[in-house]
Amino acid sequence: MAEKRIPKTLVENNKFCPGCGHGIINRVLAEVLEEMGLADMAIGSVAVGCACLMIDTFGTDWVQAPHGRAAAVASGIKRVRPENFVFTYQGDGDSLAIGFSETMYAAVRNENITVFIVNNGIFGMTGGQMAPTSLPGQRTTTSPAGKDPALAGQPLNIVNQMRQLPIGYLARGSVGSFKEIIRLKKYIKAAVTNQIEGNGYGLVEILSPCPTNWKMTMQGALDHMNDNVKKFFPTGEFIKEGVLTDA
Amino acid sequence: MTRAFMKGNHALAEAAIRAGMTFFGGYPITPQSEILEYLSGNLPKAGGTFVQAESELAGVNMVYGAAAAGHRAMTSSSGPGFSLLQEGISYIASAELPAVFVDVQRYGSGLGDIFQAQSDYYVATRGGGHGDYRMIAYAPASVQETVDLVGLAFDKAEEYRNPCLLLSDASIAQMMEPVVFPEKQECNPDHDWAVRGKRGGDFKKITSTMYYIENFDQYIHDKYATIQANEQRWENVQVEDAEVVLVAFGISARICKEAVSMARAEGIRLGLIRPVSIWPFPEKAFDEVSKDLRAYLTVELSALPRLRDDVMLATEMKTPVHHFLAGDTIPSSRTIVKQAVALLEK
Ligand SMILES: Cc1ncc(C[n+]2csc(CCOP(=O)(O)OP(=O)(O)O)c2C)c(N)n1
Ligand code: SF4
C-alpha cells in the first residue's frame, strides 16, 4: 500500500474549503521548510483572511498581524531575530488593498523577509467581495454587475510593481496543474534560499482558486484560473539573485 | 549614573536606550522628531535597530513584531500620528505584549498645531483603539521625570505584558534641564512567551488572548483591576489643610506647584494633586485631602475639559470640581492663584 507522507509541520487537517488552493500551498511550503531544515526556525506573520486559519494547523511560530500589516510585523521580527526564517503568508486583499503600503515598503527597504501572496482574485473570508486583483467583469458581492475597470481599476499586478525595486527574488506560481505545483515548489525553495543567503526581500505570488466565492465547481474554478486568470497574471521567475530575468 | 544637560526629547531617547530598548520604528512629526533623530544614530551604536517607517501604521506594527520576538521595543509620535498608532496598540494589548509608546502632545484635533497641549488625555487614558484594553500611562512633569518614567514604563510593560504610554507635551519635550541617567540595562529577549522559532519545542501563537484564555472576560477584568489597585502614582503638595486643591499633570502641574508656593506665602490655603499615572488614575491621592476642602480646580492645556471628568469620578462629585482651560498658552502661576481665590470668594 502506498504510504501517505504528510509533512510534520502540518499539525492538524487544514480548515479550508474543498478545492481551495491554500491547502496545496500550505503543503508545498511545509515540505520546503522541512527539506531545508527550517521548520524549527521559522516565524510566520499572518493577518486575517482565510490564511489566518493556518495559525492552528501549520506548526510554526506565528504572530497574527492586523489586516494588511504582516510585512511590517515580519520586518520587526526579522530585524531583532535575524537568525530566524521570517515569512508572511497573505491573501491578495490583505497584501494589496489595505496593506499595499506595508507590502511595497518592505520591498523598498529590501527587508530580508519572504512574502507569500495567495492571489484568488477575491476577498474570501469576508464572503466574496471585490479585490484589487478581481478581473474585469468579475461578479462579486460588491460588483454584482461585474467589476467595471473604469470605476474600480484594472487588476493590480504586484509583480509589475515589484520589478522596479531592488529586491532579491520575485516569482509568480500557480496551483493550476500538477506540473505547475512542482514549479511552484521550486519558486518557494528559491525564495526561502534567497532569505537564508541574506539577499533581501523575496516574494512569491501564487494563483489559487476559491471555488466557494467564485461560485464554481472545483474543476470549473481550476479551468477558470488556467484559462482566464493566467492571462492577466502570467507565471514565472522575474527577479533572481537581485537581477531581472527576461521572463 | 551619568549627568547631562539635555533637551526633553533627547533625554527620553537616551533613557529608552538605557532601559534596554533594542528596537525603535517611527515616523517624524513635530514636536517629537528629535526622538527619532537621536535614536537613528545612537540606538545602532548601542547595538539596537532603528527604522524610519513609511508611516505610523508601519512603525507600530514593526514594534508589534519586535515585541512579539521578546525585545524591548518603542515608537513615538504626536497627535495625528498617535491616532494612527491606535490600531497597533489595540493588537499589542490584545496579544498581551509589552511595548512602550510616546505621545508628545500637540495642540488641537485634526492637523492642529505644534504648540504644547494636553488634549490627548482621553485617547491616552481611555484607549483610542477598539476593544477591551487599557494602557498604563505616565505623565512626566520634568526632563528628569521623563527619564525615570521611561525606564519604569519598560519595566511595567513587561511585568504586566501590556503596552505602556508616556504622555509628554511640546514644552517638556523641548526644554533643557539637567538630568541623571541610570546605567544601561541588558535585557534577555528569550521570554517563554516570545516567538523565536520552535527550536524543537512547541510552536507559539501570538494573537488576541481572547482566543486561548478560558473565561476571558474575568481574566481581563482581573488583570486591569490589579493594575488599577497597584500602579497608581501621584505627588501631593500641601493638600492636608487646603481649601482649594488644584489637580494638574505634566507641564501645567509645574506651574500649579509654583502657584501653591505663591498662594501659601500670601496665606491662601492652596494644594495640588499631581497625577503621575494618568491611567490608572490615582484615586487614592484624593483620600489625603483636608476636610476643609471647598473646591477642586483642574488646570488643563486644552480647549475642552478632560482631566476634570476623572476628578469628578474619583471624588464622586462630593466637592465641586471646576476647571481652568488654558488652551495652548502656558498660564502664569499668578493667573492660577487668582482663579483659586475667585473660587474661595464665591
Ligand atoms: C482593519 C480591518 N478591515 C477589515 C477586516 C475584514 N476582513 C477580514 S479578511 C478580509 C479580506 C481578506 O481577503 P484576502 O486577503 O484576499 O484573503 P482570502 O480570505 O481571500 O484568502 C477583510 C476585508 C479586518 N479584519 N480588519
Ligand atoms: S473561502 Fe475561498 S479562499 Fe477561503 S478557504 Fe474557502 S475556497 Fe479557500
Side-chain angles (χ1 to χ4, degrees), chain A residues 15-23 49-51 53 118 120 122-128 208-214:
Chain A
K15 302 171 179 180
F16 307 114
C17 309
C20 175
H22 273 300
C50 294
L53 300 172
V118 179
N120 61 14
I122 204 152
F123 284 15
M125 178 148 274
T126 41
S208 173
C210 174
T212 306
N213 286 302
W214 291 358

Side-chain angles (χ1 to χ4, degrees), chain A residues 9 41 91 108 131 135 143-144 148 199 220 222 237:
Chain A
T9 303
M41 288 301 283
V108 169
L135 302 189
S143 57
D148 180 355
N199 292 334
L222 267 185
E237 279 176 303

Side-chain angles (χ1 to χ4, degrees), chain A residues 40 56 61-62 64 69 84, chain B residues 64 200 204-207:
Chain A
D40 255 20
D56 293 323
D61 275 8
W62 284 111
Q64 187 163 27
R69 322 287 180 226
N84 286 92
Chain B
Y64 180 20
K204 298 193 190 83
K205 308 179 241 190
I206 294 207
T207 181

Side-chain angles (χ1 to χ4, degrees), chain A residues 11 39-40 43 55-56 59-66 69 72-73 76-77 79-81 83-84 101-102 105 109, chain B residues 49 51 54 57-58 61-62 64-66 68-69 71 87 91 189-190 195-200 203-207:
Chain A
V11 290
D40 255 20
I43 304 175
I55 204 161
D56 293 323
T60 52
D61 275 8
W62 284 111
V63 181
Q64 187 163 27
R69 322 287 180 226
V73 170
I77 300 170
R79 293 280 188 130
V80 297
R81 293 216 180 264
E83 71 280 13
N84 286 92
S101 170
E102 285 77 9
Y105 273 93
R109 285 190 303 269
Chain B
T49 305
V51 184
E54 70 272 23
L57 283 172
N61 282 292
M62 290 175 194
Y64 180 20
H71 281 254
E87 173 191 89
Y91 271 77
D190 294 336
V195 287
R196 48 197 289 265
K198 289 190 292 177
R199 298 172 198 249
F203 67 91
K204 298 193 190 83
K205 308 179 241 190
I206 294 207
T207 181

Side-chain angles (χ1 to χ4, degrees), chain B residues 241-245 269 289-297 318-322 340-346:
Chain B
D241 66 342
E243 287 189 290
V244 174
V245 165
R269 287 195 279 154
V289 295
S290 123
K291 297 274 174 289
D292 300 338
L293 181 75
R294 302 206 2 224
Y296 288 105
L297 175 65
K318 286 177 189 146
T319 314
V321 182
H322 301 272
V341 169
L343 291 179
L344 286 172
E345 285 169 357
K346 255 193 189 166

